[in-house]
């Protein structure tokens, strides 16, 4: 097992990794096009950006994605950089606890679809990806055992009587002209089991069954496939999931749809001669951090209204350069803008800028001027190597606005449970209990940050 932290450590390229770079290049070029898998909006880059292959030193390094890659019996864990300590050797338990942090962050995400359904995390030996499969397979199996999803779909069939509408042209050319006049070519709506949604479930279940090594997961997935045996096999996409909606009677199936969308949007795979050579579940961490902070504020801070990426304002009068702050926060008293920056700051005591980039400050100043707000907040994550969270406050005077002061504050947020990393993970643990103290700490921190705007 290889553990790679974003842009941090390196591991030697093993002989068993031969062909991995070529597979990743092909996957990159055939990936589902969305904002997660583009580089600064550039969709023309042909070489993959999941991993860095340093051929001079025969080493492998990770980029901005976290998750897991399975290739030819090898597993590569891609972990968040905020957990990296160059002096530390990470045990399997510590890696699992790091991955549980990612699951907790995902539980608050809105843009990166993560189902609201929460249950225990399964076996203590399960890794990040197996836990996701466990949550999906357990919920789906239990729901399909008690409720079968059927929906109306348009069906074309030959019948001995007219049902729906008669397809006159087809009947004349295919039936009447060939002597099969007693068979009527009809199109009608039928309440069918072999529908688009069930085909999506079957496709995702089959995909996960081929990559899971956990026997409990395989058992659950096998039961799902047994229930859906009469459903056609058809490839599915995340875009299909996003278009599916349910009436209140089938509301419980929304969770299954969200799991399917989560897997299909963030999984990449490569089949060679019907043999699954590579499978990966990858998430871009800057999106996860931004989505997590927005979701947490939206859910946990009742007195704060939050909107994500308001995009109706432009920097220039010709409306060419749009401004999209991560968070638009509103309280009873004030409105302010917050931006999430997934960067390591305050790591060098001698750095007067504390790791805060000048370009970030320019960006915040543009927000303040165009959105006419005097308070801007920058949110950074804390790291495993730092104890107490740091903060910085800067004041900028706008000479064009009679010296009006603009306050820019930078805060590290406590999104890591340091104690959890030192504890053995108990079987059947629940995310809500594992991170109860972290949730309270983060909530208190945010309330103190926003307190001046709430009075």
């Amino acid at each position: 097992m290889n553990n790679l932290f974003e842009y941090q450590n390196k591991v030697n390229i093993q002989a068993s990794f031969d062909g991995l770079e070529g597979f990743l290049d092909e996957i990159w070029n055939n990936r589902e096009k969305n904002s997660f898998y583009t580089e600064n909006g550039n969709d023309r880059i042909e070489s993959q950006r999941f991993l860095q292959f340093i051929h001079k030193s025969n080493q492998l390094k990770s980029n901005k994605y976290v998750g897991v890659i399975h290739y030819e019996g090898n597993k590569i864990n891609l972990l968040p950089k905020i957990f990296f300590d160059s002096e530390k050797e990470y045990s399997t338990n510590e890696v699992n606890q790091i991955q549980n942090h990612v699951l907790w962050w995902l539980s608050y995400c809105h843009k990166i679809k993560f189902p609201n359904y929460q249950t225990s995390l399964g076996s203590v030996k399960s890794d990040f990806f197996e836990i996701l499969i466990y949550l999906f397979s357990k919920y789906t199996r239990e729901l399909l055992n008690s409720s079968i999803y059927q929906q109306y779909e348009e069906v074309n069939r030959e019948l001995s009587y007219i049902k729906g509408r008669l397809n006159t042209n087809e009947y004349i050319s295919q039936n009447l002209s060939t002597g099969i006049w007693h068979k009527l070519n009809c199109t009608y709506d039928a309440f069918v089991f072999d529908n688009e949604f069930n085909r999506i479930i079957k496709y995702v279940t089959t995909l996960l069954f081929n990559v899971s090594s956990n026997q409990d997961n395989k058992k659950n997935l096998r039961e799902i496939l047994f229930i859906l045996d009469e459903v056609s096999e058809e490839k599915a996409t995340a875009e299909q999931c996003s278009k599916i909606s349910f009436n209140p009677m089938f509301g419980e199936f929304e969770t299954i749809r969200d799991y399917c969308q989560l897997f299909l949007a963030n999984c990449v795979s490569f089949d060679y001669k019907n043999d699954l050579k590579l499978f990966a579940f990858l998430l871009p961490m800057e999106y996860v951090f931004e989505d997590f902070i927005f979701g947490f504020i939206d859910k946990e801070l009742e007195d704060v209204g939050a909107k994500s990426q308001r995009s109706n304002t432009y920097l220039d009068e010709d409306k060419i350069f749009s401004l999209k702050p991560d968070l638009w926060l509103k309280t009873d008293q004030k409105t302010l803008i917050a931006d999430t920056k997934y960067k390591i700051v305050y790591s060098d005591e001698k750095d007067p800028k504390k790791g805060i980039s000048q370009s970030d400050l320019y960006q915040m100043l543009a927000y303040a001027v165009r959105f006419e707000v005097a308070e801007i907040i920058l949110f950074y994550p804390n790291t495993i190597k730092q104890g107490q969270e740091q903060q910085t406050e800067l004041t900028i005077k706008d000479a064009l606005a009679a010296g009006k002061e603009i306050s820019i504050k930078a805060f590290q947020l406590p999104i890591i449970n340091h104690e959890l990393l030192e504890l053995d993970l108990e079987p059947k643990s629940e995310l809500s209990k594992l991170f109860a103290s972290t949730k309270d700490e983060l909530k208190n921190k945010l309330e103190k940050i926003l307190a001046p705007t709430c009075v």
Side-chain angles (χ1 to χ4, degrees):
M1 183 171 65
N2 299 280
N3 299 320
L4 286 172
F5 293 80
E6 301 168 277
Y7 301 106
Q8 304 299 317
N9 63 319
K10 304 171 187 177
V11 297
N12 293 327
I13 299 178
Q14 304 169 15
S16 55
F17 287 167
D18 288 345
L20 175 59
E21 187 174 14
F23 282 153
L24 289 176
D25 281 337
E26 185 158 347
I27 286 170
W28 179 267
N29 289 318
N30 292 290
R31 70 197 184 282
E32 196 168 335
K33 300 298 187 290
N34 60 49
S35 60
F36 291 171
Y37 299 131
T38 57
E39 293 291 314
N40 299 320
N42 186 354
D43 208 29
R44 299 178 182 176
I45 298 176
E46 295 183 0
S47 58
Q48 61 87 24
R49 289 294 183 269
F50 301 121
L51 296 174
Q52 296 180 43
F53 288 80
I54 308 171
H55 294 288
K56 286 184 178 180
S57 58
N58 199 40
Q59 289 180 310
L60 197 63
K61 191 175 182 180
S62 72
N63 285 335
K64 66 178 182 179
Y65 298 97
V66 299
V68 62
I69 293 176
H70 293 267
Y71 178 72
E72 295 282 22
N74 295 284
K75 183 169 72 172
I76 304 172
N77 290 315
L78 306 181
L79 304 169
K81 61 187 176 185
I82 60 176
F83 290 96
F84 180 67
D85 185 344
S86 59
E87 300 177 357
K88 187 175 179 61
E89 289 289 334
Y90 289 83
S91 66
T92 300
N93 181 74
E94 288 172 321
V95 171
N96 288 343
Q97 293 286 27
I98 290 172
Q99 292 171 332
N100 284 336
H101 277 75
V102 179
L103 286 173
W104 182 63
W105 300 334
L106 285 174
S107 69
Y108 282 96
C109 288
H110 293 337
K111 297 176 190 174
I112 301 175
K113 277 288 187 180
F114 190 83
N116 293 324
Y117 167 72
Q118 292 295 326
T119 185
S120 61
L121 298 178
S123 170
V124 64
K125 297 180 180 179
S126 295
D127 64 20
F128 164 71
F129 185 64
E130 293 289 0
I131 289 171
L132 281 174
I133 298 178
Y134 172 78
L135 295 174
F136 164 76
S137 63
K138 184 175 185 293
Y139 182 88
T140 303
R141 177 182 61 82
E142 291 176 352
L143 183 55
L144 292 181
N145 275 328
S146 61
S147 178
I148 296 297
Y149 179 75
Q150 292 178 293
Q151 70 179 27
Y152 282 104
E153 285 195 355
E154 193 175 79
V155 175
N156 294 299
R157 286 181 184 170
E158 291 184 344
L159 304 172
S160 57
Y161 55 92
I162 292 181
K163 183 176 182 180
R165 78 173 181 274
L166 176 66
N167 299 320
T168 307
N169 292 336
E170 287 81 358
Y171 175 67
I172 293 173
S173 62
Q174 298 176 15
N175 297 65
L176 195 61
S177 63
T178 58
I180 317 176
W181 57 267
H182 58 288
K183 291 292 184 180
L184 305 174
N185 194 304
C186 299
T187 297
Y188 59 94
D189 289 332
F191 204 50
V192 296
F193 176 55
D194 187 4
N195 54 64
E196 181 185 24
F197 180 59
N198 283 338
R199 290 192 288 271
I200 291 173
I201 299 175
K202 187 170 185 177
Y203 174 75
V204 172
T205 302
T206 303
L207 183 68
L208 299 180
F209 183 82
N210 290 332
V211 296
S212 176
S213 58
N214 183 285
Q215 292 306 310
D216 289 336
N217 286 345
K218 279 189 169 291
K219 180 181 177 182
N220 288 337
L221 295 168
R222 192 180 293 111
E223 289 187 31
I224 296 170
L225 291 174
F226 178 78
I227 296 171
L228 300 178
D229 182 58
E230 297 179 6
V231 174
S232 304
E233 295 183 6
E234 190 176 286
K235 192 171 182 178
T237 66
E239 186 179 0
Q240 284 178 264
C241 294
S242 66
K243 295 178 180 179
I244 291 177
S245 59
F246 301 92
N247 63 44
M249 183 173 67
F250 292 109
E252 290 178 305
F253 285 90
E254 291 182 354
T255 296
I256 298 179
R257 177 202 61 199
D258 290 348
Y259 271 121
C260 289
Q261 187 171 352
L262 176 72
F263 286 119
L264 291 174
N266 300 288
C267 289
V268 290
S269 59
F270 186 92
D271 295 280
Y272 180 70
K273 295 182 179 180
N274 296 319
D275 182 16
L276 189 67
K277 291 290 185 181
L278 180 146
F279 180 86
F281 181 82
L282 303 168
L283 296 162
M285 261 309 299
E286 69 263 32
Y287 285 98
V288 175
F289 180 61
E290 173 194 324
D291 206 2
F292 164 65
I293 297 303
F294 166 64
F296 191 92
I297 293 175
D298 187 49
K299 182 177 180 179
E300 302 294 347
L301 302 185
E302 297 179 359
D303 296 329
V304 179
K307 291 185 179 180
S308 177
Q309 288 200 336
R310 175 179 168 180
S311 58
N312 59 350
T313 302
Y314 294 81
L315 182 62
D316 62 314
E317 293 302 312
D318 292 329
K319 296 186 177 181
I320 298 174
F321 299 94
S322 63
L323 295 175
K324 293 183 180 181
D326 293 339
L327 292 171
W328 180 267
L329 304 177
K330 186 175 179 60
T331 69
D332 292 338
Q333 301 296 323
K334 290 185 179 181
T335 298
L336 67 154
I337 286 174
D339 227 46
T340 58
K341 301 294 181 183
Y342 181 66
K343 299 177 180 179
I344 296 177
V345 291
Y346 303 105
S347 58
D348 185 358
E349 295 180 357
K350 298 179 181 179
D351 179 13
K353 296 180 181 179
K354 309 301 182 185
I356 300 172
S357 73
Q358 201 153 322
S359 61
D360 287 345
L361 290 181
Y362 291 159
Q363 183 184 24
M364 296 306 104
L365 184 58
Y367 289 161
V369 172
R370 296 302 290 157
F371 287 95
E372 298 182 31
V373 295
E375 293 185 43
I376 302 287
I377 292 177
L378 286 166
F379 288 134
Y380 296 93
N382 64 336
T383 70
I384 194 65
K385 296 179 70 175
Q386 295 168 329
Q388 188 175 1
E389 291 80 30
Q390 304 291 321
Q391 63 185 61
T392 300
E393 182 173 358
L394 301 170
T395 301
I396 298 174
K397 288 189 177 183
D398 188 351
L400 294 176
K404 184 177 180 179
E405 292 187 350
I406 299 172
S407 173
I408 299 179
K409 300 176 182 177
F411 297 93
Q412 272 189 308
L413 297 181
I415 67 170
I416 295 176
N417 187 331
H418 290 76
E419 295 180 357
L420 192 62
L421 296 172
E422 300 175 1
L423 299 176
D424 291 336
L425 183 61
E426 297 180 1
K428 307 299 180 183
S429 300
E430 293 184 12
L431 277 178
S432 58
K433 293 182 179 179
L434 287 175
F435 293 94
S437 61
T438 316
K439 183 192 80 170
D440 292 339
E441 187 180 359
L442 178 57
K443 184 177 179 180
N444 292 335
K445 177 80 172 184
L446 287 168
E447 285 176 341
K448 288 181 180 179
I449 292 172
L450 302 174
T453 67
C454 300
V455 295

